[in-house]
Amino acid sequence: MGADEETARPEPERTGPEQPDGPEPQDRPEPQDRPAGPVGLDTRDRAVLALEARSWRTAGAKERAVREELGLSSTRYYQLLNGLLDRPEALAHAPVLVNRLRRVRDARRAAR
């Protein structure tokens, strides 16, 4: 092995606490399932909003998609969706959808 070959090797990446740059381990945020999107909405919250935004041709298609794609019962799905409608993060993520669903919810409450 020549001198050129030794210098051409990349340095192995270090990923331990001995790395000088970056926050201390106690300052690092907890790893969460929040890739891209507004802070505060996890993957499931975004999936619930995305599923609600879709249109459905048959009566049972939405309930089937809730079970298959989200692994939730219909009751739990609507509980999560109702809770999302009150969160500002959901409004920031899908303002048209959330405002429409809020109007529908308010109209149903007023009709009681």
Side-chain angles (χ1 to χ4, degrees):
M1 197 178 251
D4 291 334
E5 291 178 63
E6 282 186 45
T7 57
R9 278 192 219 151
E11 192 73 27
E13 188 174 324
R14 296 180 186 172
T15 58
E18 69 275 352
Q19 233 176 352
D21 48 305
E24 292 296 318
Q26 67 269 15
D27 294 338
R28 289 188 186 137
E30 292 287 324
Q32 297 179 5
D33 194 11
R34 295 181 185 171
V39 175
L41 289 182
D42 60 14
T43 303
R44 183 180 66 178
D45 294 340
R46 288 192 304 275
V48 166
L49 290 172
L51 194 115
E52 188 62 29
R54 290 168 32 191
S55 59
W56 306 97
R57 291 183 178 208
T58 61
K62 183 177 181 180
E63 285 72 20
R64 187 171 37 256
V66 167
R67 279 191 314 273
E68 292 174 1
E69 295 177 23
L70 301 177
L72 299 171
S73 69
S74 293
T75 303
R76 183 66 183 139
Y77 169 79
Y78 285 109
Q79 288 172 342
L80 290 171
L81 179 62
N82 192 45
L84 279 171
L85 296 183
D86 296 325
R87 293 180 52 193
E89 298 92 351
L91 183 62
H93 179 71
V96 174
L97 174 67
V98 170
N99 281 326
R100 179 176 60 83
L101 294 173
R102 284 178 177 178
R103 283 191 304 271
V104 169
R105 180 179 67 179
D106 293 342
R108 287 183 179 157
R109 284 182 180 169
R112 289 188 213 160

